[in-house]
Amino acid sequence: MAQDLDTEPLQSRLPQLDALRTGRLVCGDLSRHGDGRSRSRRASGAPAVRRWAVTRVALFFVMSAFSLSLTWPRHAASGVALRSFYLNRWFRIAPLLLALTHWLVLAWGCVLFQLWLCLRDKPVRIRRPLGVALLLVGVIGNALLFYRMLPPVPGLSGWNQSAVFYGAMLLGLLLANNRLLVNRATCFLGTISYSLYLVHPFVVSLLYGVFARSHEHLPPGAAYAGCAAISLALAIPAAWLTYRFVEKPGIRLGYRLFARVSARKRAPAGETQGAY
């Protein structure tokens, strides 16, 4: 049986989500800069990577809905659920306008969360094979979709189909907990992923001259790989610094502000009046 949300606290951060954040950011956002050119003059190489970079937004919304479902019990327990939620998310992610057009994908993420609650306490002999099967379905399905080998589905766009397969990958990873994908390196990159997302355009913009010379003197594949490696080598340390000295202190400040607001709300009426 799945544990009751009201009696059993859930982890506020799952390593599997960090691992998927790593893949979404590194393969999606950073890899698209590997050709060393501006957006208007992209090289023709790595088409599958580029298509992945476009559909990664579907993965973002699936993970967002799952994460919001995961953290909501903590906000609800505070007694000021909406205030707690928006204070914690203020400087992070607020895709409210896009949610109006992507509600089906967000709903899929919430369904995945409920499925995970039902399956996470199953015996390992059941949970792990099911997780591996879902991972394979997600990976193979997305690969077929990227190479346009799947027939069209009436009423379901390719973008929504990619969300279905990403959801299978998410649930499969949560159930199987593959150590090749969920490890210290991927969890670290997932932890700093938001800072990496914000910092990498500035780092890459300083390297376009280097990238251009690489493409002049190296074969396309080698130049692409070299540019991507240079981007990662410089962007990751920069992202760690901003996470350590900007993002993390900001999160702690948000928690302190919320703790004060919550304490005032819970204080007895006599205490509150005596404070003035």
Side-chain angles (χ1 to χ4, degrees):
M1 293 290 292
Q3 296 171 346
D4 191 341
L5 283 178
D6 295 327
T7 59
E8 183 68 24
L10 297 172
Q11 292 176 260
S12 60
R13 194 174 189 103
L14 295 172
Q16 294 89 345
L17 294 180
D18 281 332
L20 280 178
R21 288 186 185 101
T22 299
R24 181 179 64 84
L25 181 66
V26 173
C27 296
D29 290 294
L30 289 178
S31 63
R32 64 195 177 96
H33 296 289
D35 54 24
R37 304 186 183 192
S38 65
R39 292 186 179 183
S40 61
R41 296 181 60 200
R42 293 262 174 94
S44 59
V49 173
R50 296 230 178 87
R51 285 197 290 273
W52 195 97
V54 172
T55 61
R56 76 192 187 282
V57 181
L59 176 59
F60 166 79
F61 279 105
V62 171
M63 292 177 61
S64 292
F66 188 97
S67 298
L68 296 180
S69 300
L70 178 67
T71 58
W72 183 255
R74 173 167 57 86
H75 300 303
S78 69
V80 282
L82 288 177
R83 188 180 301 174
S84 170
F85 169 77
Y86 285 114
L87 186 59
N88 279 275
R89 293 280 168 171
W90 183 256
F91 290 109
R92 300 296 298 265
I93 305 169
L96 298 181
L97 293 178
L98 288 175
L100 297 177
T101 58
H102 299 314
W103 64 272
L104 279 175
V105 177
L106 288 169
W108 174 229
C110 296
V111 169
L112 289 168
F113 177 75
Q114 295 301 323
L115 289 173
W116 175 65
L117 288 182
C118 294
L119 296 171
R120 66 189 181 125
D121 294 323
K122 297 291 184 183
V124 175
R125 60 183 175 81
I126 297 176
R127 190 177 69 246
R128 183 161 293 172
L130 178 60
V132 172
L134 287 169
L135 271 172
L136 290 175
V137 168
V139 172
I140 295 173
N142 262 322
L144 294 175
L145 188 63
F146 295 156
Y147 288 102
R148 299 180 175 89
M149 297 175 66
L150 289 180
V153 179
L156 196 64
S157 67
W159 196 85
N160 286 327
Q161 289 180 56
S162 70
V164 172
F165 292 127
Y166 282 131
M169 291 171 61
L170 169 60
L171 185 59
L173 195 59
L174 287 165
L175 296 176
N177 196 18
N178 189 300
R179 292 186 180 181
L180 180 64
L181 302 176
V182 183
N183 51 60
R184 293 181 64 181
T186 57
C187 289
F188 167 73
L189 290 174
T191 300
I192 67 169
S193 61
Y194 189 57
S195 291
L196 188 57
Y197 170 74
L198 294 178
V199 165
H200 84 271
F202 300 99
V203 174
V204 169
S205 66
L206 300 175
L207 298 172
Y208 276 130
V210 176
F211 292 171
R213 287 192 291 273
S214 298
H215 280 273
E216 289 175 2
H217 298 93
L218 295 174
Y224 185 92
C227 293
I230 294 172
S231 299
L232 285 171
L234 296 179
I236 289 175
W240 179 84
L241 289 173
T242 57
Y243 171 79
R244 174 67 177 81
F245 296 106
V246 179
E247 181 182 351
K248 201 170 181 179
I251 294 172
R252 285 198 296 263
L253 176 61
Y255 282 137
R256 287 198 296 268
L257 290 175
F258 173 71
R260 290 184 183 180
V261 172
S262 183
R264 287 183 181 180
K265 184 176 178 64
R266 294 178 179 178
E271 256 182 57
T272 306
Q273 291 175 0
Y276 292 98

